[in-house]
Amino acid sequence: MAAAEPRTVLVLYGSETGNAQDMAEELGRVCQRLHFKSTVEEMNAVTLPALLQNELLVFVISTTGQGDMPHNSTLLWKRLLQRRLPADCLSQVRYTCFGLGDSTYLKFNWAARKLIRRLDQLGASTFFDTFEADEQFPDGIEGSFARWSDSLSKHLLEKFPHPEGLEPIPDDVILPPRWSLEPALRDLESSATPVTDTNGDSSVDHTTPNISPIDLLPVPDGWTSTLAANTRTTPDSHWQDVRLISFDVPPRPKAAAASAEPMRCHPGDCLTIYPKNFPEDVQRLITLMGWEPVADAPLDLSLCDSLPRNLYASPRTTLRGLLLNNMDINAIPRRSFLKSMSFFSTDADHRERLLEFTMPDYIDEYFDYATRSRRTIIEVLEEFTSVRLPAARLLDIFPVIRGRDFSIANGGAQLGVVEDGKTMTTTTTTTTTTTTRVDLLIALVRYKTVLRKPRQGLCSRYLADMPVGARLTVTKKDVLSPIHGADNARRPLVAMATGTGVAPVRSLIHERLTHHDSSVIVGPMMLFFGNRNRAADYFFHDEWATLGDEPEAPDSAEHKKDDTSQESTATTTTTSNSNGKLTIFPAFSRDQREKIYVQDLIRREAAALAALIPRRPIFAVCGGSSKMADACKSAVWDPFLAAAGEDEAAREERKKMLDAVTWWQEIW
C-alpha cells in the first residue's frame, strides 16, 4: 500500500447546522498557514482509501438526533462499519477529532465518541488529543474551539516542522482564496455582453418591491413544491406569530424509471427550506462595498476552478443574483469573517480591533460584540467603514445560506391531498398522480437585540409574506432514529412537547393511528403539551379534542409540584388496553397566578407513568429548550426510582426497566 503523501492534511466534517463545517474550514486555513496541503470535505465525499492518502486526518463532527451521526457523514460511517474490514486496515492513519455536543442531551457527543472508537478498532492512532466541546461550557463551543485550534497549531508547528525550515505564513498575510470569482469577473472585461439580471432580462430595474426572488434554486435531490396555505394560528394580538404552513409536493422524475417518485414522509422527518435575501439588503451591501459596476453583469461560474459544496446557483448568474439567492449577508459574522475583513481595511485601528476579535484571549469580547448583540454581517461592515471587500472573494469570505430544517407536522392520512374527488396518500399508492401535502408549524422569529435593534429571522422574513401559489425548491431529511411503524405503535407513547415542538408529535400520533387497519393493537398515548395561554397558543386543540380527552384537573393546587409519590392518585386511565387511546394534559403557564409547566403535570401523573414503564414505552420530548427536556426526564425518572425506597435490588430492577424504554428527543 502506498505511503501517505507528506505534509497533507485532510479535514473532514460531519455537520447538521453548519457549525462543524465552519470550524473545519477554519482548521484548513490553520494548516495552510503551516505549509500543509490541506483539503476540507464533508465526510460523505470521501472513500476509505482517501483516509490513507493523507499524512494527517482531522475530524470535526457534531451529534444530531438521538446520538446520531449527521446526515452528511452517514455514508463514510457505513463504510467504516463494514464487518469485512481487517482490524489493522487503518493502522497508517493518524488523526484527531473535535466533537461538538450539548451535555443536556442523554447521548452527549455520541457521534464523536462512536467515530473515535471505530477508528481505534481499525488500528488508527491519534497524533493530537481529541476534544469534546460542550454547549454548556461558560464560553460555549466557540471558545473551546478557539483554544483547541490554537493548541493544535502549536503542536503541528513543534512536531511537524517544515523540512526546509519555512516559517508559518504570518497572520497579517492573506491566504490565497479557496474559491474565487476572479475568472468570471475577468471574463467580463474581455466581453461586451449587455448587463442582465438573474432572470435574463436585458434591462435592470431595482425599484421593484422589496420581496425575495421567486426563481427556483437548483438544489440536488430537491423537490419543487407549491405553497398551499400560510395561516396564522395565533391571534393578531398575541406576542408570537405562529404559522401553519402547508406545501403541496408533486412527484419528481425518477432516474431510469418510467414512473415518478412521490415524497414519502415519516414522523421525525424534516422539510428543508432555502430562504433568500431581500433586495434592499443586497443593495445596501453592493453600495457599501462599491460593487455597482459589476453587480448586474453576467457571470459564468463554469469558468471558476471550484465552487463551495453547498452553493446552489445557476452557472449563468450575476453578483446580485448570488447575493439574493445564496450568500448569508445577514448572518452573525464568525471570527474567520472578521479576520478576512482585517486584510481589506485601510484603517490601522480598525484592522487592530478586527484582529483582536479573532484571538483566543479576546473570545469574550468577540462574543459580546457579535454573538450576544446579534450583529449581522451587513451591520459590521457598516461599522468598519474602512473595509472594502473585493467582489472576487465573495465566495471565499461570505457564508453560504444554509437550508432551514422544520419538523414535518402531519402524518398518516393527513399527508394526502384531494385530487379528482379522491384522497391520495403516499402510504397507499405509488401512482404518478400522488401529491404529498406537508404541514409545518413555524414560529416566526422576531425580537429585539441587547442593542434594542429589531430582528427578524432570515427564513421567518422569507416565509412571512409568501403568497399562496408560490413555488420553491425544498429537500427532505429522513429521521435517523425512527420511532414509527407497527412494532413501535404497539408500545405506549408518552409525548412531552412545548410550543411548536408539538409538530413531530402530531405526525407520530396520526401515523400510529393508521395501524388500526392492520390488526395492530395500538398502545395508549399520553400527550403533555405546554405553552403560555389556552386561548392563544393551544395548537391543534380541535384536533386533539376529536382524537382524545383531557382529564379533569385536580381541584387542589397541592398536586402541582409536591406530588411525586408513586402512591398518588392518577387522573387518567391510559394504562387500559383501549386501542390507541389518547389523553391530553395541557399546561398553560400564564393562565393562572402560579405557573404550571409540563414537568409539573408529569410528576402529577407519576403513578400512571410508572404503570406504563414495564411495557417499554416511547418517551418523545420535543421543544425549544434543553432545560425543559432535562426537567421532563427528571420528572419521569426520579419518582420511579424513589418508589424503590431503600431496597437496592428493587432499585436496580427499576433501572433496568428504564434502560429498556426509548427516550427520543428533538430539541433546538
Side-chain angles (χ1 to χ4, degrees):
M1 186 176 295
E5 186 179 347
R7 298 201 69 77
T8 55
V9 178
L10 177 60
V11 185
L12 296 176
Y13 60 85
S15 183
E16 202 67 36
T17 62
N19 288 336
Q21 180 179 351
D22 290 339
M23 292 176 179
E25 298 285 359
E26 193 166 332
L27 289 173
R29 289 187 284 269
V30 167
C31 296
Q32 195 175 353
R33 289 194 178 277
L34 299 176
H35 302 287
F36 283 90
K37 180 182 177 182
S38 63
T39 303
V40 182
E41 272 292 5
E42 68 175 29
M43 290 172 64
N44 279 353
V46 300
T47 59
L48 291 183
L51 304 184
L52 305 172
Q53 294 165 3
N54 293 269
E55 183 177 11
L56 300 174
L57 244 64
V58 180
F59 291 93
V60 187
I61 188 167
S62 61
T63 298
T64 189
Q66 321 311 309
D68 299 311
M69 309 293 284
H71 283 79
N72 63 0
S73 68
T74 54
L75 292 181
L76 179 61
W77 179 237
K78 289 177 181 177
R79 294 178 182 126
L80 288 169
L81 291 179
Q82 296 175 86
R83 293 184 179 180
R84 60 182 176 81
L85 293 176
D88 62 347
C89 65
L90 296 184
S91 59
Q92 297 181 36
V93 170
R94 304 168 73 188
Y95 76 96
T96 188
C97 180
F98 185 85
L100 291 74
D102 186 333
S103 58
T104 60
Y105 281 75
L106 290 177
K107 296 183 177 180
F108 167 65
N109 254 311
W110 215 248
R113 294 179 183 182
K114 290 190 293 187
L115 176 63
I116 291 169
R117 183 168 60 249
R118 185 55 178 162
L119 291 172
D120 291 349
Q121 289 172 350
L122 297 176
S125 59
T126 58
F127 73 89
F128 183 69
D129 289 341
T130 61
F131 190 86
E132 293 183 355
D134 187 353
E135 191 66 56
Q136 302 306 313
F137 285 164
D139 53 0
I141 289 177
E142 186 73 37
S144 299
F145 175 75
R147 288 189 298 276
W148 186 83
S149 173
D150 189 54
S151 298
L152 174 63
S153 177
K154 293 175 181 176
H155 179 84
L156 291 172
L157 186 61
E158 177 187 353
K159 301 297 183 181
F160 300 88
H162 195 279
E164 298 176 8
L166 286 179
E167 291 295 317
I169 300 173
D171 283 344
D172 59 356
V173 175
I174 191 169
L175 295 171
R178 186 178 180 195
W179 303 291
S180 175
L181 289 177
E182 184 62 36
L185 292 169
R186 192 165 54 242
D187 184 61
L188 293 179
E189 300 173 2
S190 59
S191 68
T193 310
V195 173
T196 61
D197 67 6
T198 54
N199 294 312
D201 297 328
S202 57
S203 60
V204 181
D205 178 13
H206 303 306
T207 62
T208 54
N210 187 40
I211 57 175
S212 294
I214 60 172
D215 41 323
L216 295 171
L217 294 178
V219 184
D221 204 32
W223 304 75
T224 300
S225 66
T226 301
L227 183 68
N230 190 349
T231 307
R232 178 165 179 157
T233 64
T234 51
D236 291 340
S237 59
H238 193 54
W239 69 279
Q240 189 175 47
D241 183 353
V242 179
R243 303 289 182 92
L244 182 61
I245 299 178
S246 300
F247 294 96
D248 286 343
V249 187
R252 64 183 179 186
K254 196 173 182 179
S259 61
E261 177 189 11
M263 177 181 281
R264 302 182 183 279
C265 303
H266 301 290
D269 288 355
C270 290
L271 196 75
T272 304
I273 294 176
Y274 300 86
K276 302 177 182 182
N277 291 311
F278 280 67
E280 66 177 16
D281 293 335
V282 169
Q283 186 58 47
R284 277 171 63 196
L285 182 61
I286 290 173
T287 302
L288 191 63
M289 294 295 102
W291 291 341
E292 289 95 337
V294 295
D296 300 295
L299 297 178
D300 184 357
L301 297 185
S302 66
L303 299 175
C304 301
D305 294 333
S306 63
L307 297 170
R309 174 172 292 277
N310 299 321
L311 181 75
Y312 306 130
S314 300
R316 299 285 293 183
T317 184
T318 64
L319 190 70
R320 188 184 300 274
L322 289 171
L323 292 170
L324 283 168
N325 294 300
N326 304 108
M327 312 315 296
D328 201 348
I329 60 178
N330 282 298
I332 296 172
R334 291 188 58 82
R335 293 182 307 124
S336 57
F337 184 88
L338 299 179
K339 188 167 189 174
S340 295
M341 283 178 59
S342 72
F343 296 125
F344 300 100
S345 171
T346 56
D347 184 290
D349 292 335
H350 283 184
R351 191 160 53 249
E352 180 181 3
R353 185 59 174 151
L354 287 166
L355 285 175
E356 283 179 351
F357 287 137
T358 71
M359 299 175 183
D361 291 343
Y362 290 86
I363 193 70
D364 289 340
E365 291 195 32
Y366 162 75
F367 179 80
D368 288 340
Y369 176 76
T371 307
R372 184 167 174 266
S373 63
R374 314 298 291 178
R375 277 182 170 88
T376 67
I377 283 176
I378 293 181
E379 288 174 335
V380 172
L381 288 170
E382 287 176 333
E383 290 179 11
F384 288 87
T385 54
S386 67
V387 175
R388 291 292 183 271
L389 301 175
R393 283 189 176 253
L394 177 75
L395 303 181
D396 195 59
I397 295 177
F398 285 79
V400 173
I401 293 176
R402 305 182 192 280
R404 270 57 167 179
D405 299 334
F406 297 95
S407 295
I408 293 175
N410 53 329
Q414 292 180 325
L415 292 166
V417 298
V418 176
E419 295 184 1
D420 299 327
K422 296 181 179 180
T423 299
M424 312 291 287
T425 72
T426 61
T427 57
T428 60
T429 181
T430 58
T431 65
T432 58
T433 58
T434 302
T435 294
T436 306
R437 168 66 57 86
V438 177
D439 290 344
L440 306 178
L441 187 66
I442 301 176
L444 301 188
V445 178
R446 292 191 180 97
Y447 62 96
K448 285 190 176 181
T449 70
V450 294
L451 302 177
R452 310 308 299 164
K453 290 188 176 183
R455 280 287 180 274
Q456 191 172 4
L458 177 62
C459 200
S460 297
R461 189 179 176 193
Y462 177 61
L463 292 172
D465 299 315
M466 182 176 287
V468 171
R471 298 168 71 238
L472 63 159
T473 304
V474 298
T475 56
K476 184 175 73 72
K477 282 186 178 178
D478 295 337
V479 61
L480 293 171
S481 295
I483 52 173
H484 63 273
D487 289 342
N488 283 319
R490 292 184 175 93
R491 302 166 63 188
L493 171 66
V494 181
M496 296 161 270
T498 56
T500 57
V502 77
V505 171
R506 180 187 186 227
S507 174
L508 179 60
I509 288 173
H510 281 281
E511 186 275 337
R512 287 168 66 93
L513 294 177
T514 63
H515 297 287
H516 281 309
D517 299 332
S518 56
S519 302
V520 172
I521 298 177
V522 178
M525 298 182 285
M526 301 173 73
L527 169 58
F528 294 88
F529 173 72
N531 223 333
R532 292 195 174 194
N533 310 106
R534 178 183 286 269
D537 44 24
Y538 191 1
F539 305 133
F540 309 118
H541 170 256
D542 293 340
E543 196 171 300
W544 303 137
T546 301
L547 295 176
D549 302 301
E550 285 186 32
E552 187 174 340
D555 294 331
S556 173
E558 295 175 1
H559 288 81
K560 181 180 180 290
K561 292 184 178 179
D562 298 326
D563 189 4
T564 59
S565 169
Q566 290 291 304
E567 303 303 321
S568 63
T569 303
T571 62
T572 179
T573 58
T574 56
T575 55
S576 70
N577 289 323
S578 55
N579 197 357
K581 176 180 173 61
L582 173 66
T583 310
I584 307 100
F585 301 87
F588 299 104
S589 60
R590 305 299 195 272
D591 279 352
Q592 59 284 313
R593 185 175 61 183
E594 188 175 9
K595 294 179 181 179
I596 298 177
Y597 297 105
V598 164
Q599 55 266 32
D600 300 322
L601 300 189
I602 292 170
R603 288 187 178 275
R604 192 187 74 192
E605 299 301 320
L609 294 173
L612 291 177
I613 286 175
R615 298 172 59 182
R616 296 175 53 249
I618 297 169
F619 289 92
V621 189
C622 308
S625 168
S626 57
K627 291 182 179 179
M628 179 276 292
D630 209 33
C632 287
K633 182 173 180 289
S634 296
V636 174
W637 258 236
D638 294 350
F640 187 71
L641 293 174
E646 301 298 321
D647 189 336
E648 283 301 319
R651 188 176 181 85
E652 287 302 314
E653 185 61 30
R654 285 176 175 260
K655 284 183 178 179
K656 290 180 181 178
M657 283 191 278
L658 289 175
D659 288 342
V661 308
T662 297
W663 189 270
W664 190 90
Q665 277 188 200
E666 186 172 299
I667 305 295
W668 53 90

